[in-house]
Amino acid sequence: MDAMTKKELQIVATKIRMAVIEGTFHAGSGHPGGSLSIAEDLAYLYWKEMRIDPQDPDWAGRDRFVLSKGHAAPAFYGALALRGYFPVDLIPTLRKTDSILQGHPDKKHIPGVDMSSGSLGQGVSCAVGMALAGKLDKADYRVYTILGDGEIGEGQVWEAAMFAAAKKLDNLLVIVDNNNLQIDGTVEEVNSPYPIPEKFAAFGFHVIEIDGHDFEQIEAALTEAKTITGKPTCIVQKTVKGKGVSFMENQCSWHGAAPKQEQYDAAMAELSARLQEWEG
Amino acid sequence: MADVMKIATRDAYGQALVELGNERQDIVVMDADLAAATKTGLFKKAHPDRFFDAGIAEGNMMSIAAGLAASGKTVFASSFAMFAAGRAFEQIRNSIAYPHLNVKIAATHGGISVGEDGATHQCCEDIGLMRTIPGMVILNPADGPEAKAAVRAAAEYDGPVYLRFGRLAVPVFNEEKVEFTIGKGKVLREGADVTIIATGLEVNEAMIAADTLQAEGISARVVNMATIKPVDKDLILACAAETGAIVTAEEHNIIGGLGSAVAEVLVESGKPIPMLRVGVEDTFGRSGPALELLDLYGLTAPHIVNKVKAVLTLK
């Protein structure tokens, strides 16, 4: 990856993080922690990886994305708005009564949302259905989905994994966002899902482990995934919950709490400073 | 009495799927390891490339069906009513109904007539569960030809549909090419003193009950209410006005199903009339031959006759 591209992606990821803070602050609720941990994924997917057309969100030949960890909607909406699916002005309307920006992704009303999600464990199965349809139609689109590490406690995730491998869905890419925190504590404390890579490998996936905040590793993993045939790929990425806002990092309490005014000011100041660094 | 042809609505479902699959390439069928029993196996044999078995994982099947539908397919997803409406309720609600996707949840083995498998497999709650989901259409055909017509109507409708089919072979009273309109009940027999509004296999019981009542000088109208949601309000209100008493009959808990739907319409009309419900009386089933159970749980024609006589005393 050249320095210019990397810089552009860093800028996008930072703007996505600012949208997370902006949206959850104005909403007075929402899930900043797990939104901030997937900013690099969304930047890479929507600016580099996926074959999409924001002017034609329902284009049949597009790559699909399902945010299985639907509570990270603030980051998803940030990416969609910045990419041109809808005006960035809508971000502060997150979770408001008359806004299209529902607390969790809503396929029916939000341009660019390929599947409603938020009830954990279901999005990945929906992504599997889309990948299956692609195979049935001999279409060459790919399907991407991001799961939380707490989310994989849902049995349905493993039902979906078993099915995807059994049907050889090599057009499916599953990312597990291993930020190590869920609502009630660390994932080990609550009901340990570890070791995650071995579990997906045992279910028949090609597994790649990366640092989910490193664009070069994300690029290498997604590029490798496209060379794998006959099985789906799972990227297990280590990330930091709350990444980019220092007082939110690795704090369980920021899973589902919105910043107050002072916290908003501090977070935006930190992110603005980062943005200025990148923009030089 | 001449022999009446009998066919289980699940068999008619399987046959209808094969025909639909011949006509439409977008039809995809899923099952959860019950293809032989739900009769999706017929489709599997005819169109193996468009049949997918999710294995014993009903929730996953429903969400995969949603993903297929989001990619332009018209999907029929089958299991027993207990595991479709029951186990996978939330996937149906969130993955299918909330985004209003084109998935037809085709549930077989509805009701107590499952028989020997017993209470764990006798689902008398499915219609109640499905009725509470916004935008869900619920179809409960009464015989083989109507089941086929309902499958076709569901396939032509854009959005989620719950179809309920039975395990037991039941008498065929409709013509092979019967019309089916979603949201419309049908008057099968005219009557002036009372209306029996029935659904599923209870329609045939209602017709037998009407014969018995006629011999006793009671004129009973019989309505086949094959669509439970959206329920045919106009027909219910017309029956109320014209016959002054209603008995509902369904192979379902008396809570939440057809009886509840009819009661809601009557009460909210401002002109309620006497009404009683025939159904499973808020209890679990048990093992036994289907016909014995139908009688034991108060679902056969003589029980409908008794309810009609009781409702007439309230007029």
Side-chain angles (χ1 to χ4, degrees):
Chain A
M1 183 181 291
D2 62 60
M4 192 63 198
T5 306
K6 193 169 170 183
K7 195 168 113 175
E8 281 168 9
L9 288 171
Q10 300 282 18
I11 289 168
V12 168
T14 306
K15 286 182 175 173
I16 289 173
R17 291 196 163 96
M18 293 174 88
V20 169
I21 300 304
E22 191 74 31
T24 54
F25 168 68
H26 285 281
S29 66
H31 300 85
S35 297
L36 293 170
S37 66
I38 61 164
E40 280 79 13
D41 288 331
L42 292 169
Y44 193 87
L45 287 171
Y46 276 88
W47 273 260
K48 282 284 287 177
E49 174 76 5
M50 286 173 30
R51 187 175 68 189
I52 48 169
D53 178 4
Q55 302 309 309
D56 186 7
D58 299 325
W59 169 40
R62 74 192 184 282
D63 287 338
R64 272 74 168 165
F65 175 75
V66 180
L67 184 64
S68 199
K69 50 173 281 185
H71 53 280
F76 187 22
Y77 297 161
L80 291 177
L82 291 163
R83 195 68 178 79
Y85 282 91
F86 52 80
V88 177
D89 301 354
L90 288 184
I91 294 299
T93 72
L94 174 69
R95 292 176 164 241
K96 305 279 189 209
T97 309
D98 55 356
S99 174
I100 60 166
L101 300 184
Q102 296 298 297
H104 293 84
D106 174 7
K107 173 190 192 327
K108 268 174 78 180
H109 298 109
I110 310 174
V113 173
D114 291 320
M115 179 53 72
S116 303
S117 61
S119 179
L120 297 177
Q122 295 187 28
V124 61
S125 299
C126 297
V128 167
M130 292 173 175
L132 185 64
K135 289 288 182 190
L136 199 51
D137 291 338
K138 298 183 170 53
D140 66 349
Y141 64 76
R142 292 177 65 77
V143 184
Y144 300 84
T145 185
I146 304 180
L147 289 160
D149 51 2
E151 179 180 11
I152 65 174
E154 290 283 1
Q156 185 171 344
V157 171
W158 303 103
E159 296 177 5
M162 202 185 294
F163 185 96
K167 304 297 184 226
K168 302 182 168 55
L169 300 180
D170 50 20
N171 52 349
L172 176 73
L173 190 282
V174 172
I175 297 174
V176 176
D177 183 36
N178 185 199
N179 62 33
N180 200 45
L181 293 173
Q182 57 189 114
I183 298 178
D184 283 351
T186 67
V187 295
E188 296 112 306
E189 282 167 354
V190 175
N191 184 24
S192 180
Y194 294 131
I196 299 170
E198 287 82 345
K199 285 192 174 68
F200 276 93
F203 273 76
F205 279 63
H206 177 70
V207 179
I208 308 169
E209 295 179 67
I210 63 165
D211 171 349
H213 299 307
D214 182 327
F215 282 115
E216 286 176 15
Q217 291 188 37
I218 292 172
E219 178 167 71
L222 288 171
T223 305
E224 178 180 326
K226 277 182 278 198
T227 68
I228 303 301
T229 55
K231 52 163 70 177
T233 294
C234 175
I235 297 174
V236 180
Q237 61 175 21
K238 289 281 182 202
T239 58
V240 172
K241 194 153 184 161
K243 175 75 175 177
V245 177
S246 48
F247 62 89
M248 290 185 175
E249 289 189 357
N250 285 315
Q251 297 299 315
C252 214
S253 56
W254 285 105
H255 172 87
K260 303 272 189 293
Q261 183 72 55
E262 277 178 29
Q263 294 160 330
Y264 167 81
D265 293 341
M268 288 307 254
E270 185 175 350
L271 290 168
S272 300
R274 288 278 290 169
L275 193 59
Q276 277 182 354
E277 260 174 56
W278 295 122
E279 287 179 335
Chain B
M1 200 170 102
D3 278 348
V4 180
M5 190 174 79
K6 287 187 175 183
I7 178 177
T9 50
R10 61 174 165 146
D11 285 304
Y13 163 56
Q15 292 162 15
L17 275 185
V18 172
E19 291 168 17
L20 266 180
N22 292 336
E23 295 163 23
R24 284 174 53 172
Q25 287 300 309
D26 66 311
I27 301 286
V28 174
V29 175
M30 293 195 76
D31 207 300
D33 199 38
L34 289 169
T38 64
K39 304 300 174 186
T40 62
L42 299 174
F43 183 94
K44 178 185 180 179
K45 197 172 168 201
H47 307 287
D49 53 324
R50 283 183 278 147
F51 175 86
F52 299 101
D53 207 317
I56 307 169
E58 296 80 5
N60 185 45
M61 173 177 73
M62 294 303 175
S63 298
I64 289 176
L68 284 163
S71 312
K73 305 300 175 192
T74 300
V75 190
F76 283 79
S78 282
S79 180
F80 290 177
M82 188 72 256
F83 315 121
R87 163 112 31 150
F89 172 82
E90 204 234 314
Q91 285 81 2
I92 293 173
R93 193 244 188 219
N94 278 324
S95 290
I96 295 171
Y98 178 49
H100 202 73
L101 290 169
N102 219 0
V103 178
K104 319 304 169 183
I105 302 117
T108 66
H109 294 62
I112 205 107
S113 60
V114 163
E116 291 81 353
D117 275 354
T120 52
H121 287 54
Q122 293 163 339
C123 188
C124 297
E125 302 85 9
D126 53 332
I127 293 169
L129 285 165
M130 291 296 109
R131 240 172 35 94
T132 59
I133 297 178
M136 182 63 72
V137 167
I138 303 172
L139 307 181
N140 186 31
D143 72 353
E146 187 172 56
K148 280 190 172 181
V151 170
R152 197 163 282 277
E156 283 162 12
Y157 171 81
D158 183 25
V161 177
Y162 181 80
L163 295 124
R164 189 198 220 209
F165 304 112
R167 170 175 183 265
L168 181 68
V170 293
V172 171
F173 59 85
N174 276 300
E175 298 294 321
E176 183 59 27
K177 293 287 172 200
V178 63
E179 293 270 313
F180 192 98
T181 307
I182 291 174
K184 290 289 172 204
K186 277 184 195 165
V187 177
L188 296 185
R189 175 181 176 128
E190 272 305 340
D193 301 328
V194 62
T195 304
I196 306 167
I197 302 180
T199 190
L201 60 69
E202 288 300 298
V203 174
N204 191 62
E205 297 298 322
M207 293 293 280
I208 297 168
D211 279 341
T212 307
L213 290 162
Q214 187 175 34
E216 298 183 30
I218 298 166
S219 168
R221 180 182 292 184
V222 176
V223 167
N224 174 10
M225 198 65 88
T227 305
I228 295 174
K229 187 182 177 183
V231 79
D232 190 343
K233 289 183 185 176
D234 293 344
L235 181 58
I236 294 168
L237 294 176
C239 292
E242 289 158 18
T243 68
I246 287 176
V247 168
T248 57
E250 62 193 312
E251 193 197 2
H252 185 272
N253 195 331
I254 55 166
I255 297 171
L258 174 68
S260 294
V262 171
E264 288 158 14
V265 171
L266 289 178
V267 170
E268 292 187 346
S269 72
K271 291 179 239 168
I273 52 149
M275 176 196 151
L276 290 174
R277 295 166 294 165
V278 169
V280 175
E281 303 268 354
D282 198 23
T283 186
F284 292 108
R286 70 175 79 173
S287 290
L291 295 176
E292 278 183 40
L293 294 182
L294 287 170
D295 191 44
L296 187 64
Y297 286 87
L299 302 171
T300 48
H303 297 279
I304 298 175
V305 168
N306 290 340
K307 281 279 188 215
V308 166
K309 289 177 180 172
V311 86
L312 290 177
T313 67
L314 303 173
K315 262 180 113 170

